[in-house]
Amino acid sequence: MNARAYAFALLKEICIDEGYSNLLLRNKLQSVDPKDKALVTQIVYGTLQNYRLVRYQWQSYVKKEPCKEVALLLDMSVYQLLYMDKMPAYAVIDEAVRITKKNIHPRFSALVNAVLRQVERNGKRELEGNAIEQLALETSHPTWLVAMWKAQYGWQECEKICHSDLEIRKQCVRVNTMKASVEELLASGEFAKGSLAEDALYYLGNDIIHSNYYKQGLISIQDEVSQLVAQYVDPQPQERILDVCSAPGTKACHIAERMGDKGSIVCGDIHAHRVELIKNGARRLQLQSIQAQVMDATSLKEIEGEMFDRVLCDVPCSGYGVLARKSDIKYHAKSTDMDTLIPLQQQILQSASKHVVKDGILVYSTCTLNKKENEKQVAAFLAQHEEFECLQQQTIFPYTHHSDGFYIAKLKRVR
């Protein structure tokens, strides 16, 4: 299978079968010819990041939208024609026709050929609509999401967020300070210093998962802003910590490292197979303080009566802060998604708060940019719980440090 056919197969799994782009690319690129890996990655990520813009470029050339597979192939091909350098048009179009005949149905080949010839001949279409619609098309975000960001954060912030979601993010790692120091890894010449989190470095090479640094447990893959969560928790040796939505355990392992693996961290997830991810991560890093178990964060009946010095609620969220790394989220996003998420977050926060000791800490975090899931969620909780006060809260926009967008609030139980 050549590079374009492989890219199309991956895009089908992501866009039609709703697979996770980062996991699929990480796992399936291993079987791609090394000389084709960069091209496959660029086509897949480029098409996802620009999914609305590329579709806008060809939609006026069809009377009605074709089936999902044909539409996706046109998206991928238009991205190559209009937005990739040094990509011969004849090669893109001929290969698209071949993929149509072999992987979709021969009857669509004439349509694919005709539409792509039109795109090649006419070039990029001028964007239409009001300012919000134009920004949504230009940066390939749902129009309702752009409108929401404008209403919540203002137009300038909204523009910056949208454009930052088109950036290619560098690979950020977290140093396991129990096995190595930031200074030691910087001295290797293979890393650059982070700008925000204390243990963050950026890997200058490729394929970090297959490096000795990863295999030996010297580093973990974690975005720099995500690493701030453990700093907010600020765990101390010998304390009891609860992480109620822990899987895959990245933050719990960071907490364990920061407390010198002394104490106990009870980690939970509602799915048994995801609890195994927590255990596997702890084993790789040789951490003994992690105690992973199946638990329902909305009730926490599994730990009824147990109290903890610090509790982390890194709740399920809409993920609007990680769209640069996970463009498939914006591809599938619906405005109704938060209708089920917001009550779920409320339940988890209410449930977890019952397990915080007096003078203990409760940290609430999301990887989204949505005040309904963030500031308003915490404000509603505090209005109902006078025994807690907010020590600190912060929204980190993705453009400020070229990282994920995040929200973190640190609450203290005062009585």
Side-chain angles (χ1 to χ4, degrees):
M1 192 183 296
N2 66 26
R4 291 187 180 90
Y6 209 100
F8 178 64
L10 281 171
L11 282 167
K12 276 179 63 179
E13 286 195 62
I14 295 164
C15 299
I16 297 175
D17 300 333
E18 299 193 17
Y20 296 112
S21 60
N22 56 332
L23 296 179
L24 281 168
L25 276 166
R26 183 187 302 170
N27 295 330
K28 298 209 170 184
L29 277 180
Q30 302 307 315
S31 58
V32 176
D33 190 315
K35 67 180 175 61
D36 290 333
K37 284 185 179 181
L39 178 58
V40 171
T41 301
Q42 186 177 0
I43 292 173
V44 171
Y45 274 133
T47 303
L48 285 172
Q49 283 190 318
N50 297 278
Y51 78 100
R52 285 198 69 188
L53 183 60
V54 292
R55 187 157 297 194
Y56 176 79
Q57 301 299 339
W58 63 259
Q59 276 182 321
S60 63
Y61 302 127
V62 296
K63 291 181 180 178
K64 66 176 183 178
E65 189 139 319
C67 67
K68 291 179 181 179
E69 288 85 357
V70 171
L72 186 59
L73 180 60
L74 288 171
D75 293 343
M76 183 187 96
S77 303
V78 169
Y79 174 70
Q80 295 170 76
L81 285 174
L82 299 182
Y83 301 100
M84 287 182 69
D85 296 331
K86 300 177 182 178
M87 195 63 64
Y90 72 87
V92 173
I93 297 172
D94 287 353
E95 186 58 34
V97 171
R98 272 196 291 271
I99 291 172
T100 305
K101 291 177 178 178
K102 184 176 180 179
N103 300 97
I104 306 176
H105 197 285
R107 72 174 182 270
F108 296 117
S109 58
L111 170 67
V112 168
N113 183 66
V115 170
L116 294 179
R117 295 290 178 193
Q118 286 270 60
V119 172
E120 179 196 11
R121 187 179 307 116
N122 298 328
K124 297 176 184 177
R125 289 178 62 197
E126 186 175 338
L127 298 180
E128 298 175 353
N130 59 29
I132 289 176
E133 181 64 22
Q134 286 190 27
L135 180 60
L137 281 171
E138 179 190 358
T139 60
S140 291
H141 287 79
T143 303
W144 60 263
L145 181 57
V146 176
M148 185 186 82
W149 281 341
K150 177 180 179 291
Q152 291 187 359
Y153 303 116
W155 179 247
Q156 287 188 331
E157 298 285 3
C158 175
E159 278 190 302
K160 291 176 184 176
I161 294 167
C162 288
H163 285 290
S164 75
D165 284 343
L166 298 178
E167 294 177 356
I168 303 297
R169 296 280 191 258
K170 294 181 290 184
Q171 181 66 74
C172 189
V173 301
R174 182 191 81 237
V175 179
N176 179 359
T177 51
M178 293 184 62
K179 289 190 169 189
S181 69
V182 169
E183 291 71 25
E184 285 172 341
L185 293 189
L186 282 173
S188 72
E190 296 186 68
F191 298 89
K193 187 77 175 74
S195 60
L196 194 61
E198 295 169 2
D199 305 324
L201 293 177
Y202 286 90
Y203 187 52
L204 303 178
N206 298 307
D207 202 11
I208 186 67
I209 279 189
H210 293 94
S211 71
N212 287 330
Y213 298 109
Y214 186 84
K215 292 176 181 177
Q216 294 170 10
L218 302 181
I219 57 96
S220 295
I221 296 171
Q222 186 179 14
D223 186 79
E224 185 167 10
V225 171
S226 175
Q227 295 181 39
L228 291 180
V229 173
Q231 292 180 208
Y232 267 69
V233 174
D234 191 25
Q236 303 301 310
Q238 307 305 334
E239 286 187 330
R240 295 196 76 214
I241 313 290
L242 174 63
D243 181 1
V244 298
C245 302
S246 188
T250 309
K251 296 178 184 70
C253 288
H254 192 196
I255 290 168
E257 291 165 5
R258 290 184 71 86
M259 60 196 293
D261 203 25
K262 296 175 182 178
S264 65
I265 307 170
V266 176
C267 309
D269 192 273
I270 197 167
H271 301 293
H273 71 279
R274 288 180 59 78
V275 171
E276 289 304 310
L277 296 178
I278 304 172
K279 293 178 179 179
N280 291 340
R283 276 193 291 268
R284 182 181 70 84
L285 298 168
Q286 298 179 326
L287 297 169
Q288 305 302 316
S289 57
I290 301 285
Q291 302 169 22
Q293 65 183 81
V294 173
M295 66 172 72
D296 181 353
T298 62
S299 65
L300 296 177
K301 292 179 181 178
E302 299 81 0
I303 55 168
E304 189 171 357
E306 294 187 43
M307 302 299 287
F308 297 84
D309 300 293
R310 297 167 197 268
V311 175
L312 171 59
C313 296
D314 186 54
V315 296
C317 68
S318 53
Y320 302 147
V322 297
L323 301 184
R325 289 192 300 110
K326 300 179 180 179
S327 297
D328 46 299
I329 292 177
K330 66 178 180 178
Y331 189 94
H332 297 298
K334 298 180 179 64
S335 60
T336 54
D337 291 343
M338 64 187 85
D339 294 344
T340 54
L341 283 169
I342 290 172
L344 176 63
Q345 293 161 354
Q346 289 172 346
Q347 279 186 285
I348 292 170
L349 189 54
Q350 296 276 2
S351 177
S353 69
K354 298 173 185 176
H355 295 270
V356 183
V357 300
K358 184 179 180 300
D359 296 323
I361 296 297
L362 174 62
V363 172
Y364 175 89
S365 63
T366 75
C367 60
T368 198
L369 300 173
N370 177 8
K371 289 188 176 182
K372 291 180 181 179
E373 298 178 67
N374 297 340
E375 291 93 336
K376 291 184 179 181
Q377 194 74 279
V378 170
F381 172 81
L382 291 172
Q384 297 174 9
H385 293 269
E386 294 182 353
E387 71 272 25
F388 282 90
E389 65 179 27
C390 184
L391 300 180
Q392 186 181 3
Q393 62 177 326
Q394 183 180 13
T395 297
I396 303 105
F397 292 107
Y399 61 83
T400 54
H401 295 277
H402 304 285
S403 65
D404 289 345
F406 239 83
Y407 171 81
I408 315 172
K410 184 173 186 174
L411 313 180
K412 181 178 180 179
R413 184 165 196 160
V414 292
R415 56 180 177 273

